[in-house]
């Protein structure tokens, strides 16, 4: 069956669409319904109702966007730069209100103890289902849920898409889209451009409105104008994106976008385009999905505008009918290897090519559209090639770290200490290891810059092997950076190392580990131990041992006790000639006698 080829059973797709449409048409006033009547079923389905006032779709101009609530959705951010995802504020607020004012949380948790949870919805109810799924995924205590939506508007930006891929959550989302349905495209246009026409369209989709599915709305000139305005906005957005990932610059387009704001929203998950002839076309690449949303709804000649506009409105209301017709038909095309998409259907001998070619034709994609899809695929492949390139540095990084560990051991034998020996730079090997420090900095800075430019796969920040290498690098090399910083008295010009001197490569690497291991953020991590010692040496020299200085010393000692117990500080730190030991011994004796680390020293 087609449903099973998508990764969902035809039965589940049918049940989800029935629940979604039932919730859409519900007159109970409850914001969701729960379908759990089948004892033999392995799923419990929650379907969310939609909302139809303009303020339920756009809270403000131009796109109704806001930063997501990281207390509720802590994973939906970039890890290194800690930038929260941008989402549709109205849809987010709708879900938050349901979560706090209804029994949804208790019902979901009770059902999840026995069965898999499926969240579903149609139209703006689908947007609520998406946030419900994200909320449930954040708990990580149950079998992962499924989210199946029908005609869903877009809800979040590229950071949301990035986080979904990094957490491997995109696989749980399947979005069914009718080829001409205008609703999934509404978020890609600004409110000011469609404000006058949008509310009547929302009445058209509102089952409680006298204008529901009414020809008096669907066949009006305003409806055609609404569709035309939406598509013009999408044209500008997708053209700019296509130019960007094709590597060309359209100066006219760039000048226009300086005056016209573009939508921040971006797809994620698996999109299943329903072509209207009983066939499905599935796509996962977010950039390709955006291009398809534009190119598969072309208005053609002016004489066709009204007909296409009417169809784009009506197709939002026929999902259940279309899916009942389609799920039993084994006809699914996967647009996966985008760079290999055929520009022509001539001279094809393989059945797979016929399937792909037929899918492209069924979506009405032009040669220009296919070129844009191929470019989106090439961008994805380039990210994969970049990953392979930096993976080639793993051996080199490990080899240099091994050399630095041998250097650290030799310093301990000399009774000097790793940090102090490097800071004094009295021997040839100190200089050689400074070269190695700079060599590794160059490698890691390149990786961080590629991350900032979005040139690596979204999954990179969560890859265990890179987190392990990065943590080892941070612990071994950051003390050398700190030594170099204070050796050259950069603190006198720039300020403290932790304040303004710490390179972003260490911040990123630290946050990767904290995120993956679900740790609280550490203001002073173990790799910055020596930076805090340097600042306290300065503070206790220039001021009396009281107030804030005393509190900082207490905090450092607690951390040192913990780090020493977990073997995160080398034994050389506690050598008698270590600058840390020499500083600590200058502290007031009354303090040292009761210090939690007094037993770590040999008087």
């Amino acid at each position: 069956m087609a449903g099973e080829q998508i990764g969902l059973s035809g039965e589940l797709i049918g049940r989800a669409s029935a629940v979604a449409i039932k919730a859409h048409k519900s007159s109970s006033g409850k914001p969701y319904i729960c379908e759990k009547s089948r004892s033999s079923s392995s799923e419990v389905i929650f379907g969310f109702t939609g909302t139809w006032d303009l303020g339920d779709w756009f809270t403000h101009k131009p796109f109704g966007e806001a930063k997501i609530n990281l207390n509720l959705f802590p994973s939906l951010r970039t890890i290194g730069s800690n930038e929260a995802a941008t989402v549709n504020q109205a849809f987010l607020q709708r879900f938050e209100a349901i979560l706090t004012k209804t029994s949804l949380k208790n019902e979901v948790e009770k059902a999840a103890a026995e069965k898999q949870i499926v969240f579903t919805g149609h139209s703006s109810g689908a947007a609520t289902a998406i946030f419900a799924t994200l909320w449930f995924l954040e708990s990580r205590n149950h079998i992962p849920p499924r989210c199946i939506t029908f005609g869903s508007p877009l809800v979040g930006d590229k950071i949301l898409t990035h986080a979904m891929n990094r957490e491997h959550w995109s696989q749980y989302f399947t979005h069914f889209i009718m080829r001409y349905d205008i609703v999934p495209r509404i978020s890609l246009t600004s409110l000011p451009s469609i404000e006058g026409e949008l509310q009547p369209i929302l009445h058209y989709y509102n089952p409680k409105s006298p204008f529901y599915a009414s020809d008096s709305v669907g066949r009006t000139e305003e409806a055609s104008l609404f569709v035309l305005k939406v598509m013009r906005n999408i044209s500008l957005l997708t053209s700019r994106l296509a130019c960007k990932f094709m590597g060309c610059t359209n100066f006219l387009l760039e000048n226009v976008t300086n005056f016209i704001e573009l939508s921040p929203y971006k797809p994620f998950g698996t999109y299943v385009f329903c072509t209207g002839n009983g066939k499905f076309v599935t796509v996962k690449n977010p950039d390709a999905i955006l291009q398809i949303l534009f190119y598969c709804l072309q208005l053609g000649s002016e004489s066709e505008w009204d007909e296409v506009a009417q169809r784009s409105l009506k197709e939002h209301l026929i999902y259940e009918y279309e899916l009942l017709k389609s799920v039993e038909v084994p006809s699914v095309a996967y647009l996966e290897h985008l760079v290999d998409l055929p520009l022509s259907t001539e001279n094809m001998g393989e059945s797979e090519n016929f399937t792909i070619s037929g899918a492209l034709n069924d979506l009405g994609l032009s040669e220009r559209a296919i070129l844009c899809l191929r470019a989106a695929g090439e961008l994805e492949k380039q990210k994969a090639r970049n990953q392979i390139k930096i993976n080639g540095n793993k051996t080199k990084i490990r080899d240099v770290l091994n050399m630095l560990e041998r250097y650290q051991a030799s310093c301990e034998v000399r009774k000097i200490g790793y940090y102090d020996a490097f800071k004094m730079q009295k021997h040839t090997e100190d200089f050689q290891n400074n070269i190695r420090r700079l060599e590794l900095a160059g490698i890691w800075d390149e990786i961080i810059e590629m991350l900032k430019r979005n040139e690596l796969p979204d999954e990179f920040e969560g890859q265990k092997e890179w987190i392990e290498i990065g943590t080892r690098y941070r612990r071994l090399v950051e003390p050398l950076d700190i030594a170099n910083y204070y050796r050259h008295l950069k603190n006198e010009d720039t300020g403290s190392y932790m304040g303004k001197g710490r390179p972003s490569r260490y911040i990123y690497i630290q946050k990767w580990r904290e995120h993956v291991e679900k740790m609280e953020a550490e203001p002073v991590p173990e790799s910055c131990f020596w930076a805090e010692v340097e600042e306290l040496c300065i503070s206790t020299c220039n001021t009396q041992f009281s107030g804030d200085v005393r509190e900082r010393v207490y905090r450092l000692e607690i951390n040192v006790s913990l780090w020493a117990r977990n073997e995160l500080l080398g034994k050389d730190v506690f050598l008698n000639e270590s600058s840390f030991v020499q500083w600590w011994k200058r502290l007031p004796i009354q303090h040292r006698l009761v210090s939690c680390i007094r037993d770590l020293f040999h008087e």
Side-chain angles (χ1 to χ4, degrees):
M1 293 194 307
E4 292 171 344
Q5 289 178 289
I6 294 169
L8 302 169
S9 70
E11 179 193 6
L12 180 57
I13 295 172
R15 287 174 59 203
S17 65
V19 172
I21 299 303
K22 183 179 178 181
H24 176 78
K25 296 180 179 180
S26 173
S27 58
S28 67
K30 192 174 181 181
Y32 64 91
I33 62 175
C34 178
E35 194 258 33
K36 51 185 177 182
S37 58
R38 302 185 183 189
S39 58
S40 60
S41 172
S42 60
E43 303 94 4
V44 174
I45 303 178
F46 289 84
F48 294 88
T49 61
T51 50
W52 307 105
D53 288 332
L54 186 60
D56 295 329
W57 288 65
F58 290 88
T59 54
H60 58 272
K61 302 174 183 178
F63 300 101
E65 71 273 31
K67 292 297 183 181
I68 200 164
N69 179 356
L70 288 178
N71 291 323
L72 196 58
F73 303 98
S75 299
L76 302 184
R77 58 185 175 89
T78 58
I79 298 176
S81 56
N82 200 36
E83 184 178 356
T86 293
V87 296
N88 181 293
Q89 186 176 39
F91 297 150
L92 175 62
Q93 289 176 342
R94 167 76 170 167
F95 169 70
E96 290 178 332
I98 292 171
L99 191 63
T100 56
K101 297 178 181 179
T102 71
S103 59
L104 176 68
K105 181 177 180 180
N106 290 336
E107 287 186 57
V108 169
E109 290 180 347
K110 182 178 179 181
E114 300 177 352
K115 298 186 178 184
Q116 183 179 44
I117 300 298
V118 177
F119 295 107
T120 189
H122 174 258
S123 201
S124 58
T128 307
I130 290 171
F131 283 113
T133 310
L134 294 172
W135 159 75
F136 191 72
L137 283 166
E138 289 284 7
S139 68
R140 303 172 188 264
N141 295 324
H142 305 281
I143 297 172
R146 293 304 301 250
C147 182
I148 307 173
T149 72
F150 307 92
S152 176
L154 302 178
V155 303
D157 68 345
K158 63 183 181 181
I159 293 178
L160 179 63
T161 302
H162 164 80
M164 297 295 292
N165 292 332
R166 183 193 67 229
E167 302 296 322
H168 302 287
W169 288 352
S170 289
Q171 61 184 311
Y172 305 124
F173 292 80
T174 304
H175 309 286
F176 287 88
I177 302 291
M178 293 298 297
R179 172 183 168 180
Y180 287 96
D181 185 2
I182 196 64
V183 171
R185 299 161 164 94
I186 289 177
S187 300
L188 296 174
T189 192
S190 64
L191 178 59
S193 66
I194 57 172
E195 192 167 9
E197 295 84 17
L198 181 55
Q199 186 59 71
I201 300 301
L202 296 179
H203 287 319
Y204 180 83
Y205 293 131
N206 183 1
K208 302 179 183 65
S209 168
F211 300 104
Y212 176 61
S214 170
D215 285 345
S216 65
V217 174
R219 294 181 180 275
T220 62
E221 183 179 341
E222 288 77 9
S224 297
L225 183 62
F226 169 76
V227 175
L228 183 60
K229 286 182 175 179
V230 170
M231 295 310 295
R232 282 176 175 169
N233 276 267
I234 299 175
S235 174
L236 184 60
L237 172 68
T238 53
S239 295
R240 185 174 185 274
L241 289 174
C243 285
K244 191 172 182 180
F245 52 65
M246 284 180 179
C248 60
T249 303
N250 184 324
F251 293 107
L252 177 60
L253 188 62
E254 288 298 320
N255 287 333
V256 171
T257 55
N258 287 333
F259 301 99
I260 300 176
E261 291 189 78
L262 299 180
S263 172
Y265 300 113
K266 192 171 185 178
F268 65 85
T270 299
Y271 270 64
V272 183
F273 287 90
C274 310
T275 62
N277 57 2
K279 299 178 182 177
F280 293 148
V281 182
T282 68
V283 192
K284 295 182 180 180
N285 182 300
D287 294 312
I289 292 166
L290 281 176
Q291 298 298 324
I292 292 173
L293 284 171
F294 172 63
Y295 281 105
C296 76
L297 202 173
Q298 292 304 293
L299 302 182
S301 64
E302 188 172 346
S303 62
E304 297 175 328
W305 285 356
D306 289 344
E307 180 183 348
V308 173
Q310 290 168 27
R311 185 172 181 180
S312 68
L313 294 178
K314 290 180 179 179
E315 284 205 349
H316 189 61
L317 300 175
I318 64 171
Y319 280 91
E320 190 173 18
Y321 166 77
E322 177 65 24
L323 291 168
L324 284 174
K325 180 178 69 174
S326 303
V327 292
E328 299 298 329
V329 181
S331 185
V332 181
Y334 301 90
L335 301 189
E336 294 179 324
H337 305 292
L338 297 175
V339 293
D340 300 322
L341 290 180
L343 292 175
S344 172
T345 60
E346 297 178 3
N347 302 320
M348 289 186 182
E350 297 182 14
S351 59
E352 181 182 356
N353 285 338
F354 276 123
T355 302
I356 298 300
S357 176
L360 299 175
N361 286 332
D362 288 341
L363 289 175
L365 299 182
S366 63
E367 183 175 313
R368 178 181 176 84
I370 296 169
L371 284 171
C372 290
L373 298 188
R374 290 172 68 163
E378 180 58 36
L379 179 63
E380 188 175 43
K381 285 192 72 172
Q382 182 57 54
K383 290 182 180 182
R385 287 194 290 266
N386 289 342
Q387 168 91 67
I388 292 171
K389 175 186 174 183
I390 65 168
N391 282 349
N393 288 322
K394 286 180 183 177
T395 300
K396 187 172 186 178
I397 293 172
R398 289 191 177 106
D399 287 345
V400 176
L401 292 178
N402 289 338
M403 295 179 195
L404 289 173
E405 284 179 342
R406 289 194 290 272
Y407 169 61
Q408 183 179 33
S410 70
C411 292
E412 185 177 339
V413 170
R414 287 159 39 197
K415 304 295 183 183
I416 297 176
Y418 181 58
Y419 178 84
D420 293 309
F422 187 85
K423 185 179 179 183
M424 289 185 287
Q425 288 286 307
K426 288 186 175 181
H427 298 86
T428 302
E429 64 175 337
D430 302 328
F431 173 78
Q432 291 172 339
N433 285 291
N434 189 37
I435 299 298
R436 292 175 182 133
R437 173 185 71 88
L438 295 172
E439 185 179 21
L440 289 179
I443 294 172
W444 280 99
D445 284 344
E446 181 183 15
I447 292 173
I448 301 305
E449 286 306 309
M450 291 174 77
L451 267 178
K452 291 178 179 178
R453 295 193 300 265
N454 194 30
E455 293 175 355
L456 290 173
D458 293 327
E459 298 83 1
F460 176 77
E461 284 188 303
Q463 291 176 357
K464 184 178 179 181
E465 188 174 11
W466 273 106
I467 291 171
E468 290 174 350
I469 294 173
T471 300
R472 184 185 173 203
Y473 163 73
R474 177 173 60 85
R475 289 172 173 169
L476 195 58
V477 181
E478 187 163 19
L480 305 186
D481 271 35
I482 296 168
N484 186 71
Y485 191 83
Y486 286 93
R487 167 181 165 79
H488 293 287
L489 303 178
K490 292 182 181 179
N491 58 303
E492 294 184 0
D493 296 326
T494 308
S496 69
Y497 177 86
M498 291 300 293
K500 294 184 178 180
R502 194 182 189 202
S504 62
R505 58 181 174 272
Y506 297 121
I507 297 171
Y508 273 62
I509 293 168
Q510 177 189 339
K511 289 181 176 179
W512 294 348
R513 175 172 175 260
E514 289 171 349
H515 175 76
V516 170
E517 297 186 12
K518 302 296 176 290
M519 299 169 56
E520 291 291 330
E522 295 181 285
V524 182
E526 73 283 357
S527 59
C528 294
F529 158 75
W530 283 107
E532 188 69 357
V533 171
E534 290 281 7
E535 290 300 316
L536 285 173
C537 283
I538 296 169
S539 297
T540 53
C541 178
N542 297 334
T543 62
Q544 299 222 346
F545 186 69
S546 60
D548 291 341
V549 173
R550 186 193 301 270
E551 287 302 316
R552 285 180 67 184
V553 171
Y554 283 148
R555 286 197 299 272
L556 177 63
E557 288 178 327
I558 291 170
N559 284 334
V560 167
S561 176
L562 177 64
W563 295 332
R565 190 162 58 248
N566 293 328
E567 298 183 345
L568 297 180
L569 292 180
K571 295 178 181 178
D572 59 310
V573 169
F574 303 103
L575 291 171
N576 193 53
E577 298 304 316
S578 160
S579 56
F580 167 63
V581 173
Q582 293 300 308
W583 163 76
W584 189 82
K585 287 182 176 180
R586 291 196 297 270
L587 295 178
I589 189 169
Q590 299 91 336
H591 169 82
R592 288 186 283 127
L593 287 173
V594 295
S595 171
C596 63
I597 62 172
R598 64 185 183 279
D599 294 334
L600 296 174
F601 301 95
H602 301 285
E603 295 288 347

